[in-house]
Amino acid sequence: KADELIALVLEKGSHKFEWVHLKSNNEEFYVEITLTNIKSETDNLIHVIWRDITESKKAEELLKASEAEGWSLFEEAPYPIWVNDSSEIKNNFNKLIKNGVTDIRTYLDKNPDEIKKMANLIKVKKVNKSSLVFYGVQSEDELFRNISDFFVTESYDSFKEELIALFEGKLYYKSELLIRKLNGQLAHIVVTASVPEIYKDTLEKVIISFVDVTEQKRNEQTKEILLNISKQISDVTSVESFSAIV
């Protein structure tokens, strides 16, 4: 191995790599080694720099473990979660600002077609298992192919509010949205959009999660209908009672 490294350095002039060594107590430690070929009139000298990177390697391993745990939580979450890339929307915002737009609500009210155009700029990077179950699809590809079919006319009203929140630099937004599943059924969902701090200037990652409140909305509507019926019956009864008294 050493002969191969020396040959590589002589050929390229320098080479950097990582190596695991053992201390006298048999404890492993990581080093970063940089080999540089120094040519003289009579010979080639190999200059060696060793740097202990054990702590950074441990931190890297902990980060990988943390990411793996976070990924597991994402995949197994009992509610749908999406990771969106909205950087093209951010680029569009920057163009609007450059053109003098400061009131995004007024702009979108006057240019409603822009809402749909910006919706098409979103790139869905990843969804979890619960998202596939909710929409009734078998794979991400199937979901991505049908994204435009999930929006109904009312959906764009809620999406407009999300655009306004993002334009104003808000990192958190919550709203109610009406969508359509692939089977044609309408569903009411409460959507939460969260922008990680490190992506606030680019919107490269926007975390979308939502909860299905269709049953709750249906119960509320049923309750409202029953209350109206009860009120009508009460009004009729009151009139009849009054007539009887008269």
Side-chain angles (χ1 to χ4, degrees):
K1 184 68 175 181
D3 291 339
E4 293 177 8
L5 291 172
I6 292 173
L8 188 61
V9 173
L10 292 176
E11 178 187 349
K12 295 187 174 182
S14 65
H15 182 57
K16 183 185 290 186
F17 60 96
E18 294 179 4
W19 202 269
V20 182
H21 288 269
L22 285 177
K23 296 182 179 180
S24 57
N25 60 0
N26 287 326
E27 180 184 348
E28 290 186 343
F29 70 101
Y30 293 85
V31 294
E32 180 186 80
I33 301 174
T34 302
L35 303 178
T36 305
N37 180 25
I38 301 177
K39 295 181 180 180
S40 67
E41 293 181 358
T42 58
D43 205 354
N44 286 313
L45 303 176
I46 305 296
H47 182 257
V48 183
I49 298 177
W50 293 46
R51 186 166 69 90
D52 189 339
I53 58 171
T54 304
E55 292 304 316
S56 62
K57 291 295 287 186
K58 288 181 179 178
E60 184 180 314
E61 290 171 0
L62 286 173
L63 178 60
K64 287 180 179 178
S66 176
E67 289 176 345
E69 182 179 0
W71 186 253
S72 176
L73 291 173
F74 168 81
E75 277 293 341
E76 303 301 331
Y79 48 86
I81 305 176
W82 296 34
V83 180
N84 289 350
D85 178 352
S86 297
S87 56
E88 288 301 315
I89 289 179
K90 181 63 176 180
N91 292 338
N92 199 45
F93 285 166
N94 292 337
K95 290 178 183 177
L96 292 176
I97 293 172
K98 189 175 181 180
N99 291 331
V101 175
T102 55
D103 186 345
I104 190 65
R105 183 180 296 279
T106 299
Y107 174 80
L108 294 176
D109 286 342
K110 292 181 178 179
N111 303 274
D113 289 343
E114 286 296 307
I115 300 172
K116 290 185 179 181
K117 289 180 182 178
M118 283 195 256
N120 291 328
L121 294 177
I122 295 175
K123 299 174 184 174
V124 182
K125 307 298 288 185
K126 188 67 180 175
V127 302
N128 66 349
K129 294 178 183 177
S130 293
S131 299
L132 302 182
V133 173
F134 176 79
Y135 281 103
V137 296
Q138 300 299 314
S139 66
E140 287 186 343
D141 288 340
E142 185 181 359
L143 179 65
F144 295 166
R145 285 197 307 269
N146 294 280
I147 283 180
S148 60
D149 295 333
F150 301 144
F151 273 60
V152 295
T153 302
E154 294 85 349
S155 305
Y156 292 102
D157 293 333
S158 296
F159 183 64
K160 181 181 78 171
E161 296 302 319
E162 181 181 335
L163 288 174
I164 293 169
L166 292 174
F167 184 89
E168 293 175 348
K170 295 177 181 177
L171 302 182
Y172 180 86
Y173 172 74
K174 188 174 184 179
S175 71
E176 191 170 304
L177 186 68
L178 181 67
I179 58 97
R180 178 172 34 230
K181 297 183 180 182
L182 283 184
N183 61 8
Q185 290 183 341
L186 295 177
H188 291 271
I189 58 177
V190 173
V191 180
T192 300
S194 177
V195 182
E197 183 73 26
I198 60 174
Y199 296 109
K200 67 178 182 179
D201 295 326
T202 64
L203 300 183
E204 287 181 21
K205 279 190 181 179
V206 179
I207 312 302
I208 306 293
S209 61
F210 55 89
V211 178
D212 187 355
V213 294
T214 305
E215 194 62 33
Q216 179 183 334
K217 291 289 291 186
R218 188 178 294 118
N219 291 339
E220 289 175 358
Q221 292 168 355
T222 301
K223 183 178 179 180
E224 185 176 348
I225 291 171
L226 291 175
L227 285 174
N228 288 333
I229 293 174
S230 177
K231 184 177 183 302
Q232 291 172 9
I233 293 174
S234 177
D235 291 343
V236 170
T237 303
S238 297
V239 171
E240 290 178 347
S241 299
F242 178 75
S243 298
I245 293 172
V246 173

